[in-house]
Amino acid sequence: MIGYATIGANDLERAKGFYDKVLAPLGGRRTFAMGDRMQFYGGAGPGMLAICKPYDEGAATAGNGSMFGLPAPSREAVAEAHAAALANGGTCEGEPGARTDNFYGAYFRDPDGNKVCVFKMG
């Protein structure tokens, strides 16, 4: 249902390095870039994630209550992505674990403060 989502970054090169490592366990990879302002990532599904410098050239800030959920192929991939986030400048917002009988997730903030959940349903 979602075509793509964007996450603001103050340092695009740092953000690309961070998301290269975090998205790898999820099957994510760089797909295309738009100049020096935006990098898209894609995987097996139709949705994409873009890391971008804000177009108004102001500081990128995390939205209060905003969060991105990224599906993982396995619980192990959830743990790998979470560990990659923490090893590359992210901060923990919730260790990997079952949240309900059908939802296994882990939460972190990227170096710009954006909150992300990596999850496996079922």
Short mmCIF file of all heavy atoms in Angstrom, two decimals, residues 48-119:
data_model
loop_
_atom_site.label_atom_id
_atom_site.label_comp_id
_atom_site.label_asym_id
_atom_site.label_seq_id
_atom_site.Cartn_x
_atom_site.Cartn_y
_atom_site.Cartn_z
N MET A 48 9.53 1.35 -1.12
CA MET A 48 10.91 1.82 -1.03
C MET A 48 11.05 2.76 0.17
O MET A 48 10.09 3.33 0.65
CB MET A 48 11.30 2.57 -2.31
CG MET A 48 11.37 1.71 -3.54
SD MET A 48 11.91 2.65 -5.00
CE MET A 48 10.52 3.74 -5.24
N LEU A 49 12.29 2.90 0.60
CA LEU A 49 12.65 3.82 1.66
C LEU A 49 13.67 4.78 1.08
O LEU A 49 14.60 4.36 0.39
CB LEU A 49 13.25 3.06 2.84
CG LEU A 49 13.69 3.89 4.04
CD1 LEU A 49 12.49 4.53 4.72
CD2 LEU A 49 14.45 3.02 5.02
N ALA A 50 13.49 6.08 1.32
CA ALA A 50 14.43 7.07 0.82
C ALA A 50 15.02 7.84 1.99
O ALA A 50 14.31 8.20 2.93
CB ALA A 50 13.74 8.04 -0.14
N ILE A 51 16.32 8.08 1.93
CA ILE A 51 17.02 8.91 2.90
C ILE A 51 17.30 10.21 2.17
O ILE A 51 17.86 10.21 1.06
CB ILE A 51 18.35 8.25 3.31
CG1 ILE A 51 18.17 6.77 3.69
CG2 ILE A 51 19.01 9.03 4.44
CD1 ILE A 51 17.13 6.51 4.74
N CYS A 52 16.92 11.36 2.76
CA CYS A 52 17.07 12.60 2.01
C CYS A 52 17.41 13.79 2.89
O CYS A 52 17.09 13.82 4.07
CB CYS A 52 15.80 12.90 1.23
SG CYS A 52 14.38 13.29 2.26
N LYS A 53 18.07 14.75 2.28
CA LYS A 53 18.26 16.05 2.90
C LYS A 53 16.94 16.80 2.71
O LYS A 53 16.35 16.74 1.63
CB LYS A 53 19.37 16.82 2.18
CG LYS A 53 20.75 16.25 2.32
CD LYS A 53 21.72 17.14 1.58
CE LYS A 53 23.09 16.56 1.45
NZ LYS A 53 23.97 17.43 0.65
N PRO A 54 16.46 17.52 3.73
CA PRO A 54 15.21 18.27 3.55
C PRO A 54 15.32 19.29 2.41
O PRO A 54 16.34 19.96 2.26
CB PRO A 54 15.04 18.96 4.90
CG PRO A 54 15.76 18.09 5.87
CD PRO A 54 16.96 17.59 5.10
N TYR A 55 14.26 19.37 1.62
CA TYR A 55 14.26 20.29 0.48
C TYR A 55 14.28 21.75 0.89
O TYR A 55 14.76 22.60 0.16
CB TYR A 55 13.07 20.01 -0.45
CG TYR A 55 13.36 18.84 -1.34
CD1 TYR A 55 12.86 17.59 -1.04
CD2 TYR A 55 14.15 18.97 -2.48
CE1 TYR A 55 13.14 16.49 -1.85
CE2 TYR A 55 14.43 17.89 -3.29
CZ TYR A 55 13.92 16.66 -2.98
OH TYR A 55 14.22 15.59 -3.76
N ASP A 56 13.77 22.06 2.10
CA ASP A 56 13.80 23.46 2.53
C ASP A 56 15.17 23.86 3.07
O ASP A 56 15.38 24.97 3.50
CB ASP A 56 12.71 23.73 3.57
CG ASP A 56 12.94 23.02 4.90
OD1 ASP A 56 13.97 22.33 5.09
OD2 ASP A 56 12.07 23.15 5.78
N GLU A 57 16.11 22.91 3.06
CA GLU A 57 17.49 23.08 3.50
C GLU A 57 17.60 23.38 4.99
O GLU A 57 18.67 23.75 5.47
CB GLU A 57 18.22 24.11 2.64
CG GLU A 57 18.27 23.68 1.19
CD GLU A 57 19.19 24.51 0.33
OE1 GLU A 57 20.02 25.26 0.87
OE2 GLU A 57 19.06 24.38 -0.90
N GLY A 58 16.51 23.18 5.73
CA GLY A 58 16.56 23.27 7.18
C GLY A 58 17.09 21.97 7.76
O GLY A 58 17.39 21.02 7.04
N ALA A 59 17.21 21.92 9.07
CA ALA A 59 17.69 20.72 9.74
C ALA A 59 16.66 19.61 9.65
O ALA A 59 15.45 19.85 9.77
CB ALA A 59 17.99 21.03 11.21
N ALA A 60 17.14 18.39 9.44
CA ALA A 60 16.26 17.23 9.50
C ALA A 60 15.98 16.95 10.97
O ALA A 60 16.89 16.92 11.79
CB ALA A 60 16.94 16.02 8.85
N THR A 61 14.72 16.78 11.31
CA THR A 61 14.33 16.47 12.68
C THR A 61 13.37 15.30 12.68
O THR A 61 12.64 15.09 11.71
CB THR A 61 13.65 17.68 13.36
OG1 THR A 61 12.50 18.05 12.59
CG2 THR A 61 14.60 18.87 13.46
N ALA A 62 13.39 14.52 13.74
CA ALA A 62 12.50 13.37 13.87
C ALA A 62 11.12 13.85 14.29
O ALA A 62 11.00 14.76 15.12
CB ALA A 62 13.06 12.40 14.91
N GLY A 63 10.09 13.26 13.72
CA GLY A 63 8.72 13.61 14.07
C GLY A 63 8.30 12.94 15.36
O GLY A 63 8.56 11.76 15.57
N ASN A 64 7.65 13.68 16.24
CA ASN A 64 7.14 13.12 17.49
C ASN A 64 5.96 12.22 17.16
O ASN A 64 4.95 12.68 16.64
CB ASN A 64 6.73 14.24 18.44
CG ASN A 64 6.32 13.71 19.78
OD1 ASN A 64 6.74 12.64 20.19
ND2 ASN A 64 5.51 14.47 20.49
N GLY A 65 6.08 10.94 17.43
CA GLY A 65 5.04 9.98 17.11
C GLY A 65 5.23 9.31 15.76
O GLY A 65 4.51 8.37 15.43
N SER A 66 6.19 9.76 14.98
CA SER A 66 6.46 9.14 13.69
C SER A 66 7.39 7.94 13.87
O SER A 66 8.32 7.98 14.68
CB SER A 66 7.15 10.13 12.74
OG SER A 66 6.31 11.22 12.49
N MET A 67 7.12 6.88 13.11
CA MET A 67 7.96 5.71 13.15
C MET A 67 7.79 4.97 11.84
O MET A 67 6.70 4.97 11.26
CB MET A 67 7.58 4.79 14.31
CG MET A 67 8.44 3.54 14.42
SD MET A 67 8.10 2.55 15.90
CE MET A 67 6.42 2.06 15.62
N PHE A 68 8.85 4.35 11.37
CA PHE A 68 8.81 3.54 10.16
C PHE A 68 8.94 2.09 10.55
O PHE A 68 9.81 1.74 11.35
CB PHE A 68 9.93 3.94 9.21
CG PHE A 68 9.81 5.35 8.75
CD1 PHE A 68 10.41 6.39 9.44
CD2 PHE A 68 9.05 5.66 7.64
CE1 PHE A 68 10.27 7.70 9.03
CE2 PHE A 68 8.90 6.97 7.21
CZ PHE A 68 9.52 7.98 7.91
N GLY A 69 8.10 1.23 9.99
CA GLY A 69 8.17 -0.20 10.23
C GLY A 69 8.72 -0.90 9.00
O GLY A 69 8.17 -0.75 7.91
N LEU A 70 9.80 -1.64 9.17
CA LEU A 70 10.45 -2.33 8.06
C LEU A 70 10.31 -3.84 8.25
O LEU A 70 10.78 -4.39 9.26
CB LEU A 70 11.93 -1.96 8.00
CG LEU A 70 12.23 -0.45 7.91
CD1 LEU A 70 13.73 -0.21 8.01
CD2 LEU A 70 11.65 0.12 6.63
N PRO A 71 9.66 -4.54 7.31
CA PRO A 71 9.46 -5.98 7.47
C PRO A 71 10.77 -6.75 7.29
O PRO A 71 11.60 -6.39 6.46
CB PRO A 71 8.45 -6.33 6.38
CG PRO A 71 8.62 -5.27 5.35
CD PRO A 71 9.04 -4.04 6.09
N ALA A 72 10.91 -7.80 8.07
CA ALA A 72 12.09 -8.67 8.02
C ALA A 72 11.66 -10.07 7.61
O ALA A 72 10.54 -10.49 7.90
CB ALA A 72 12.77 -8.71 9.38
N PRO A 73 12.56 -10.82 6.95
CA PRO A 73 12.21 -12.17 6.54
C PRO A 73 12.22 -13.19 7.68
O PRO A 73 11.67 -14.28 7.54
CB PRO A 73 13.28 -12.52 5.50
CG PRO A 73 14.45 -11.67 5.86
CD PRO A 73 13.85 -10.40 6.43
N SER A 74 12.84 -12.84 8.82
CA SER A 74 12.94 -13.78 9.94
C SER A 74 13.20 -13.02 11.23
O SER A 74 13.60 -11.84 11.20
CB SER A 74 14.08 -14.77 9.70
OG SER A 74 15.33 -14.09 9.72
N ARG A 75 13.03 -13.72 12.35
CA ARG A 75 13.38 -13.11 13.63
C ARG A 75 14.87 -12.86 13.72
O ARG A 75 15.31 -11.87 14.32
CB ARG A 75 12.92 -14.03 14.77
CG ARG A 75 11.42 -14.06 14.93
CD ARG A 75 11.01 -14.97 16.06
NE ARG A 75 9.56 -14.87 16.27
CZ ARG A 75 8.95 -15.16 17.41
NH1 ARG A 75 9.67 -15.59 18.44
NH2 ARG A 75 7.66 -15.04 17.52
N GLU A 76 15.65 -13.74 13.12
CA GLU A 76 17.10 -13.55 13.11
C GLU A 76 17.49 -12.26 12.37
O GLU A 76 18.39 -11.54 12.79
CB GLU A 76 17.80 -14.76 12.47
CG GLU A 76 17.67 -16.05 13.27
CD GLU A 76 16.30 -16.73 13.15
OE1 GLU A 76 15.56 -16.45 12.17
OE2 GLU A 76 15.97 -17.53 14.03
N ALA A 77 16.80 -11.98 11.28
CA ALA A 77 17.06 -10.75 10.53
C ALA A 77 16.67 -9.52 11.34
O ALA A 77 17.34 -8.48 11.25
CB ALA A 77 16.34 -10.76 9.19
N VAL A 78 15.62 -9.63 12.15
CA VAL A 78 15.25 -8.53 13.05
C VAL A 78 16.42 -8.23 13.98
O VAL A 78 16.84 -7.08 14.13
CB VAL A 78 13.98 -8.88 13.86
CG1 VAL A 78 13.76 -7.87 14.99
CG2 VAL A 78 12.76 -8.96 12.97
N ALA A 79 16.96 -9.29 14.59
CA ALA A 79 18.08 -9.12 15.52
C ALA A 79 19.32 -8.58 14.81
O ALA A 79 20.01 -7.71 15.34
CB ALA A 79 18.39 -10.44 16.21
N GLU A 80 19.60 -9.05 13.60
CA GLU A 80 20.76 -8.58 12.84
C GLU A 80 20.63 -7.09 12.50
O GLU A 80 21.60 -6.33 12.63
CB GLU A 80 20.91 -9.37 11.55
CG GLU A 80 21.46 -10.76 11.73
CD GLU A 80 21.56 -11.48 10.39
OE1 GLU A 80 22.11 -10.89 9.43
OE2 GLU A 80 21.09 -12.63 10.30
N ALA A 81 19.46 -6.69 12.04
CA ALA A 81 19.26 -5.28 11.68
C ALA A 81 19.37 -4.39 12.91
O ALA A 81 19.99 -3.31 12.86
CB ALA A 81 17.90 -5.10 11.00
N HIS A 82 18.80 -4.82 14.04
CA HIS A 82 18.88 -4.06 15.28
C HIS A 82 20.33 -3.93 15.73
O HIS A 82 20.79 -2.83 16.08
CB HIS A 82 18.02 -4.73 16.35
CG HIS A 82 17.89 -3.94 17.61
ND1 HIS A 82 18.67 -4.20 18.73
CD2 HIS A 82 17.09 -2.90 17.94
CE1 HIS A 82 18.34 -3.36 19.69
NE2 HIS A 82 17.39 -2.56 19.24
N ALA A 83 21.07 -5.02 15.69
CA ALA A 83 22.48 -5.00 16.08
C ALA A 83 23.28 -4.09 15.15
O ALA A 83 24.15 -3.33 15.60
CB ALA A 83 23.06 -6.41 16.07
N ALA A 84 22.99 -4.13 13.85
CA ALA A 84 23.68 -3.25 12.90
C ALA A 84 23.38 -1.79 13.19
O ALA A 84 24.28 -0.94 13.11
CB ALA A 84 23.27 -3.60 11.46
N ALA A 85 22.14 -1.50 13.56
CA ALA A 85 21.78 -0.12 13.91
C ALA A 85 22.60 0.37 15.10
O ALA A 85 23.18 1.46 15.06
CB ALA A 85 20.29 -0.02 14.20
N LEU A 86 22.66 -0.44 16.15
CA LEU A 86 23.38 -0.02 17.35
C LEU A 86 24.88 0.07 17.11
O LEU A 86 25.55 0.95 17.66
CB LEU A 86 23.08 -0.98 18.50
CG LEU A 86 21.60 -1.11 18.89
CD1 LEU A 86 21.46 -1.98 20.13
CD2 LEU A 86 20.94 0.23 19.07
N ALA A 87 25.42 -0.80 16.26
CA ALA A 87 26.86 -0.80 15.97
C ALA A 87 27.27 0.36 15.07
O ALA A 87 28.46 0.66 14.96
CB ALA A 87 27.26 -2.12 15.32
N ASN A 88 26.28 1.02 14.46
CA ASN A 88 26.60 2.07 13.49
C ASN A 88 26.02 3.43 13.86
O ASN A 88 25.70 4.24 12.99
CB ASN A 88 26.14 1.64 12.10
CG ASN A 88 27.02 0.54 11.57
OD1 ASN A 88 28.12 0.80 11.10
ND2 ASN A 88 26.56 -0.71 11.69
N GLY A 89 25.86 3.67 15.15
CA GLY A 89 25.46 5.00 15.61
C GLY A 89 24.01 5.14 16.00
O GLY A 89 23.59 6.22 16.41
N GLY A 90 23.22 4.08 15.90
CA GLY A 90 21.83 4.13 16.33
C GLY A 90 21.71 3.92 17.83
O GLY A 90 22.66 3.50 18.48
N THR A 91 20.55 4.24 18.38
CA THR A 91 20.29 4.01 19.80
C THR A 91 19.09 3.10 19.96
O THR A 91 18.15 3.14 19.16
CB THR A 91 20.03 5.34 20.54
OG1 THR A 91 18.94 6.02 19.92
CG2 THR A 91 21.26 6.23 20.52
N CYS A 92 19.13 2.28 20.99
CA CYS A 92 18.09 1.28 21.22
C CYS A 92 16.82 1.94 21.76
O CYS A 92 16.87 2.75 22.68
CB CYS A 92 18.58 0.23 22.21
SG CYS A 92 17.37 -1.08 22.50
N GLU A 93 15.69 1.55 21.19
CA GLU A 93 14.38 1.98 21.67
C GLU A 93 13.54 0.76 22.07
O GLU A 93 12.37 0.90 22.39
CB GLU A 93 13.65 2.77 20.59
CG GLU A 93 14.19 4.16 20.38
CD GLU A 93 13.75 5.14 21.47
OE1 GLU A 93 12.59 5.11 21.90
OE2 GLU A 93 14.60 5.96 21.87
N GLY A 94 14.13 -0.42 22.01
CA GLY A 94 13.43 -1.66 22.38
C GLY A 94 14.15 -2.86 21.79
O GLY A 94 14.27 -2.99 20.58
N GLU A 95 14.65 -3.71 22.65
CA GLU A 95 15.39 -4.91 22.21
C GLU A 95 14.49 -5.84 21.40
O GLU A 95 13.27 -5.81 21.55
CB GLU A 95 15.92 -5.66 23.44
CG GLU A 95 16.96 -4.92 24.24
CD GLU A 95 18.29 -4.81 23.52
OE1 GLU A 95 18.60 -5.66 22.65
OE2 GLU A 95 19.03 -3.86 23.82
N PRO A 96 15.08 -6.69 20.55
CA PRO A 96 14.29 -7.66 19.80
C PRO A 96 13.50 -8.57 20.74
O PRO A 96 14.02 -9.02 21.75
CB PRO A 96 15.35 -8.47 19.03
CG PRO A 96 16.53 -7.57 18.94
CD PRO A 96 16.51 -6.76 20.20
N GLY A 97 12.24 -8.79 20.39
CA GLY A 97 11.40 -9.67 21.19
C GLY A 97 9.97 -9.68 20.71
O GLY A 97 9.57 -8.86 19.89
N ALA A 98 9.21 -10.64 21.24
CA ALA A 98 7.80 -10.77 20.90
C ALA A 98 7.02 -9.64 21.58
O ALA A 98 7.19 -9.40 22.78
CB ALA A 98 7.26 -12.12 21.33
N ARG A 99 6.20 -8.96 20.81
CA ARG A 99 5.33 -7.90 21.36
C ARG A 99 3.91 -8.41 21.49
O ARG A 99 3.17 -7.96 22.36
CB ARG A 99 5.38 -6.65 20.47
CG ARG A 99 6.77 -6.03 20.29
CD ARG A 99 7.45 -5.76 21.63
NE ARG A 99 8.60 -4.90 21.56
CZ ARG A 99 9.87 -5.30 21.51
NH1 ARG A 99 10.15 -6.59 21.47
NH2 ARG A 99 10.85 -4.43 21.49
N THR A 100 3.52 -9.30 20.62
CA THR A 100 2.24 -10.01 20.69
C THR A 100 2.52 -11.44 20.23
O THR A 100 3.66 -11.78 19.86
CB THR A 100 1.16 -9.39 19.79
OG1 THR A 100 1.51 -9.60 18.41
CG2 THR A 100 0.98 -7.90 20.04
N ASP A 101 1.49 -12.27 20.20
CA ASP A 101 1.67 -13.65 19.73
C ASP A 101 2.10 -13.70 18.27
O ASP A 101 2.69 -14.68 17.82
CB ASP A 101 0.38 -14.45 19.89
CG ASP A 101 0.04 -14.72 21.34
OD1 ASP A 101 0.94 -14.60 22.19
OD2 ASP A 101 -1.13 -15.05 21.62
N ASN A 102 1.80 -12.65 17.51
CA ASN A 102 2.03 -12.65 16.07
C ASN A 102 3.01 -11.58 15.59
O ASN A 102 3.16 -11.38 14.40
CB ASN A 102 0.67 -12.48 15.36
CG ASN A 102 0.73 -12.88 13.91
OD1 ASN A 102 1.42 -13.82 13.55
ND2 ASN A 102 -0.01 -12.18 13.08
N PHE A 103 3.64 -10.87 16.52
CA PHE A 103 4.50 -9.76 16.14
C PHE A 103 5.80 -9.81 16.92
O PHE A 103 5.80 -9.75 18.15
CB PHE A 103 3.79 -8.43 16.41
CG PHE A 103 4.53 -7.20 15.93
CD1 PHE A 103 4.31 -6.71 14.65
CD2 PHE A 103 5.43 -6.55 16.75
CE1 PHE A 103 4.98 -5.57 14.20
CE2 PHE A 103 6.11 -5.42 16.32
CZ PHE A 103 5.88 -4.93 15.03
N TYR A 104 6.91 -9.91 16.21
CA TYR A 104 8.25 -9.92 16.79
C TYR A 104 8.97 -8.69 16.26
O TYR A 104 9.07 -8.51 15.03
CB TYR A 104 8.99 -11.20 16.38
CG TYR A 104 10.33 -11.38 17.05
CD1 TYR A 104 10.42 -12.05 18.26
CD2 TYR A 104 11.49 -10.88 16.47
CE1 TYR A 104 11.65 -12.22 18.88
CE2 TYR A 104 12.72 -11.06 17.09
CZ TYR A 104 12.80 -11.72 18.29
OH TYR A 104 14.01 -11.90 18.91
N GLY A 105 9.45 -7.82 17.13
CA GLY A 105 10.05 -6.59 16.64
C GLY A 105 11.18 -6.08 17.49
O GLY A 105 11.41 -6.54 18.61
N ALA A 106 11.91 -5.12 16.92
CA ALA A 106 12.98 -4.41 17.61
C ALA A 106 12.91 -2.95 17.17
O ALA A 106 12.53 -2.66 16.03
CB ALA A 106 14.33 -5.01 17.27
N TYR A 107 13.29 -2.05 18.04
CA TYR A 107 13.15 -0.62 17.79
C TYR A 107 14.47 0.09 18.01
O TYR A 107 15.22 -0.23 18.93
CB TYR A 107 12.09 -0.03 18.74
CG TYR A 107 10.74 -0.68 18.59
CD1 TYR A 107 10.45 -1.87 19.24
CD2 TYR A 107 9.76 -0.10 17.79
CE1 TYR A 107 9.21 -2.48 19.09
CE2 TYR A 107 8.53 -0.70 17.64
CZ TYR A 107 8.26 -1.89 18.29
OH TYR A 107 7.04 -2.48 18.14
N PHE A 108 14.73 1.09 17.17
CA PHE A 108 15.94 1.90 17.32
C PHE A 108 15.69 3.27 16.72
O PHE A 108 14.74 3.50 16.00
CB PHE A 108 17.15 1.23 16.66
CG PHE A 108 17.02 1.03 15.17
CD1 PHE A 108 17.38 2.02 14.27
CD2 PHE A 108 16.53 -0.17 14.67
CE1 PHE A 108 17.25 1.82 12.90
CE2 PHE A 108 16.41 -0.38 13.31
CZ PHE A 108 16.77 0.62 12.42
N ARG A 109 16.58 4.19 17.06
CA ARG A 109 16.61 5.51 16.42
C ARG A 109 17.90 5.58 15.62
O ARG A 109 18.96 5.13 16.06
CB ARG A 109 16.56 6.63 17.45
CG ARG A 109 15.18 6.74 18.09
CD ARG A 109 15.02 8.04 18.86
NE ARG A 109 13.74 8.04 19.53
CZ ARG A 109 12.62 8.54 19.01
NH1 ARG A 109 12.63 9.10 17.82
NH2 ARG A 109 11.49 8.49 19.69
N ASP A 110 17.78 6.16 14.43
CA ASP A 110 18.96 6.34 13.59
C ASP A 110 19.76 7.53 14.10
O ASP A 110 19.34 8.21 15.05
CB ASP A 110 18.57 6.44 12.11
CG ASP A 110 17.90 7.74 11.72
OD1 ASP A 110 17.83 8.70 12.52
OD2 ASP A 110 17.41 7.81 10.57
N PRO A 111 20.94 7.82 13.52
CA PRO A 111 21.75 8.94 14.03
C PRO A 111 21.07 10.30 13.96
O PRO A 111 21.49 11.22 14.67
CB PRO A 111 23.00 8.90 13.13
CG PRO A 111 23.13 7.45 12.77
CD PRO A 111 21.70 6.99 12.57
N ASP A 112 20.01 10.45 13.16
CA ASP A 112 19.28 11.72 13.11
C ASP A 112 18.06 11.72 14.02
O ASP A 112 17.29 12.68 14.03
CB ASP A 112 18.86 12.02 11.67
CG ASP A 112 20.04 12.44 10.82
OD1 ASP A 112 20.63 13.51 11.11
OD2 ASP A 112 20.40 11.71 9.89
N GLY A 113 17.85 10.64 14.77
CA GLY A 113 16.75 10.58 15.73
C GLY A 113 15.46 9.98 15.20
O GLY A 113 14.47 9.92 15.93
N ASN A 114 15.44 9.53 13.95
CA ASN A 114 14.23 8.90 13.39
C ASN A 114 14.02 7.54 14.03
O ASN A 114 14.95 6.74 14.14
CB ASN A 114 14.39 8.73 11.87
CG ASN A 114 14.51 10.06 11.17
OD1 ASN A 114 13.61 10.88 11.20
ND2 ASN A 114 15.67 10.29 10.57
N LYS A 115 12.79 7.27 14.45
CA LYS A 115 12.48 5.99 15.08
C LYS A 115 12.08 4.97 14.03
O LYS A 115 11.27 5.26 13.14
CB LYS A 115 11.35 6.15 16.11
CG LYS A 115 11.15 4.91 16.95
CD LYS A 115 10.18 5.17 18.09
CE LYS A 115 10.02 3.93 18.95
NZ LYS A 115 9.07 4.19 20.05
N VAL A 116 12.66 3.78 14.15
CA VAL A 116 12.44 2.70 13.19
C VAL A 116 12.13 1.42 13.94
O VAL A 116 12.75 1.13 14.97
CB VAL A 116 13.67 2.50 12.29
CG1 VAL A 116 13.47 1.36 11.29
CG2 VAL A 116 14.03 3.79 11.55
N CYS A 117 11.19 0.64 13.43
CA CYS A 117 10.91 -0.70 13.94
C CYS A 117 11.24 -1.69 12.83
O CYS A 117 10.87 -1.48 11.68
CB CYS A 117 9.44 -0.84 14.31
SG CYS A 117 8.97 -2.53 14.76
N VAL A 118 11.92 -2.76 13.16
CA VAL A 118 12.14 -3.88 12.26
C VAL A 118 11.32 -5.02 12.83
O VAL A 118 11.40 -5.30 14.03
CB VAL A 118 13.63 -4.25 12.17
CG1 VAL A 118 13.84 -5.42 11.25
CG2 VAL A 118 14.45 -3.06 11.72
N PHE A 119 10.49 -5.65 11.99
CA PHE A 119 9.56 -6.63 12.54
C PHE A 119 9.37 -7.85 11.64
O PHE A 119 9.61 -7.79 10.44
CB PHE A 119 8.20 -5.99 12.81
CG PHE A 119 7.47 -5.61 11.53
CD1 PHE A 119 6.55 -6.48 10.95
CD2 PHE A 119 7.71 -4.39 10.92
CE1 PHE A 119 5.88 -6.14 9.79
CE2 PHE A 119 7.05 -4.04 9.75
CZ PHE A 119 6.13 -4.92 9.18
#
